[in-house]
Every structure is written in structure tokens, then in C-alpha cells.
Amino acid sequence: MTSHNDSIPPLTVVTGATGILGRRVVDGLLRRGRPVRAVSRRPRHSDLPAPVDVVAGDLHEPSTLESAFTAATALVLIAVPDTAVDVVARARAAGIEHIVVVSSAAVTAGYDTTYNLPVERAVQESGIDWSIVRPGEFATNAVLIWGPSIRSGRRVVEPYPEQAGNPVHEQDIADVIVADLLDPGRRGRVDTLIGPDTLTKREQVAAIAAAVGDPITLDEVTPEQARNFYREQGGFAADNADWLYGLTSYDGVEDATDEPLEATPSSDGAYRSLTDVLGRPGRSYAQWARDHASDFTRTAGTRP
């Protein structure tokens, strides 16, 4: 791949730049003196810092991305499977040399065959240099699923309180993406990233309670009751309730589950900690809970 002039700081295009992960990627690149162009469907409402070049564009409509890709050398790509082949082709035609795909650990597990996997394949088959980051469970899912009921009544509804996982701090995911962008030696990597702590749902709720300084009740219910509760709540939890509580597979197949939800996950070398990936410990779940304590208060504000 022909390199751009080394005297010109390489420009990185970030899709999903206004999201909880993308914003941290943007900040990480800016701290290292790298110019950033953010793609947004509503650029006037992006609230990104002044150095960022915010342009209109939509991954669902690849023809809108021409100006976003102009003069860029790298791309952070989130999953929109239906248009991935077209988006990647346009990136290549514009001269983008490296794509970091933000994927999912569900691909590693074999559950995701229709959403993130097609995006990975489109990039890997494009001839562009690539890196793939497959985060495990985002710790921030707790804000999206449990946040409303914790704020309103210090309560969590959960059918599988002993289900264990390794939630990962979004800043650790962003740090890996930034490292992949800055270090050419990291191209061709696939990193499935998990958090440092193996915790049950009950233990996660306890960590949040400690962070906010209030007890939180965990009500154990059936999967169907949980689904009904979160459908009524709305938002992310409602959109994902069937899969979250084992009533469909990750790919949306009814009456099929991806794993025994009561089980503690077994050790697998495919799943890597931040120590494995970047050589330093990942942020603990307790730290994540402290960082997000205001998101669980009755007057939760917007994170910076």
C-alpha cells in the first residue's frame, strides 16, 4: 500500500464518533496530535471538540461518504453489514490504507454470523490493511439496561443473577483501537478483549451500589418476566431483551440460545485481557462503576 507523505500527520476518519466508544477514540487521537474527521448524520449536533473536522455522512448510504474519506489514511469502522462492501470499496478508492473494525466477541464465540462478521470479511477481503477489535460485554450495558430502574427505585430485575462475565471498560476498548491506529506493527491483528474481573450479575450490582453509596435490590425473576419488564422500560434493553435473556439467539433465531446463561465462562486463550493486548492491566469493574456513578443517580447527567 502506498504511504502518504510522512511529513503530513495522517488523518483518521472515525465513524460512530459521537458514541460512548467513538468519542474516546477521538479524544485519544487528539491527545497524540493526530487529526480526526468525524462522520455524523447530524454534524451540527455532534458536540465534538473544535479540532475535529465533523462532516455529514451515513454508513447506511455509502454515497454520502465521499467527502469524509477524501485525503484520509485510516478509518475506524463500526458495523453496518448491509453496506459494508460498498463502504469499504469507497474507502479503498479514496486512498484509505488502514481500517480498524470495531466488531464483537460474539464473532469469536461463533454467535454473530450476520452482523459484525460480514463487516470483518468485507474489510479483510478488500486488500486494505486491517486490524479488528472484538470487545466482549461493554460494562456500559449496565447503564443502558439497569440504569433507569436503579435511578427510579434502586432496583435491578435479573433472571440470571449468578451468570458471570468479564465486562470491559469502554476506555480500555478505545485505547486498543487507538494503539492499532498508531502502530503499523499491530496491523493484521484480531483481538477479542475482555475485562480483568470475572463477576456475576449480582456482584456487578453490588459494585454499582458501592459506587453510588446506596443499596440496590436485585429481584430474581423468570426470563419472560425480565423481557416484559425491559420491553416496558424501552430503549436498548427493550430492543435486546429477547437475546439478553436467552429467548432468541444472537442472530435472532427464536427458541435458540447461544450459551448456558447460568454457567461461569471457561478460560479460553482466544479471549484476551488488556495486559495481553497492550501490556498493562485493564480498568477494574469497580473503577468503571465509580467512573459512572452519576449515571445511576436520580439526577443522572450526560457524560462528557
Side-chain angles (χ1 to χ4, degrees), residues 62-148:
S63 63
T64 66
L65 299 171
E66 182 176 350
S67 62
F69 291 161
T70 300
T73 62
L75 169 65
V76 178
L77 182 62
I78 61 173
V80 177
D82 292 345
T83 61
V85 171
D86 193 357
V87 168
V88 172
R90 291 171 184 272
R92 180 183 174 91
I96 285 177
E97 302 169 2
H98 180 213
I99 299 178
V100 178
V101 181
V102 183
S103 185
S104 169
V107 176
T108 304
Y111 308 149
D112 181 340
T113 60
T114 62
Y115 192 69
N116 288 285
L117 181 59
V119 181
E120 290 189 13
R121 287 178 172 167
V123 172
Q124 290 173 312
E125 295 169 2
S126 69
I128 303 174
D129 287 346
W130 52 266
S131 309
I132 295 172
V133 181
R134 295 175 178 170
E137 178 187 357
F138 277 64
T140 49
N141 286 355
V143 176
L144 301 173
I145 299 168
W146 298 337

Side-chain angles (χ1 to χ4, degrees), residues 3 38 59 67 120 144 161 193 207 255 261 273 291:
S3 179
L59 287 171
S67 62
E120 290 189 13
L144 301 173
L193 185 66
D255 300 320
L261 294 176
S273 70
D291 290 345

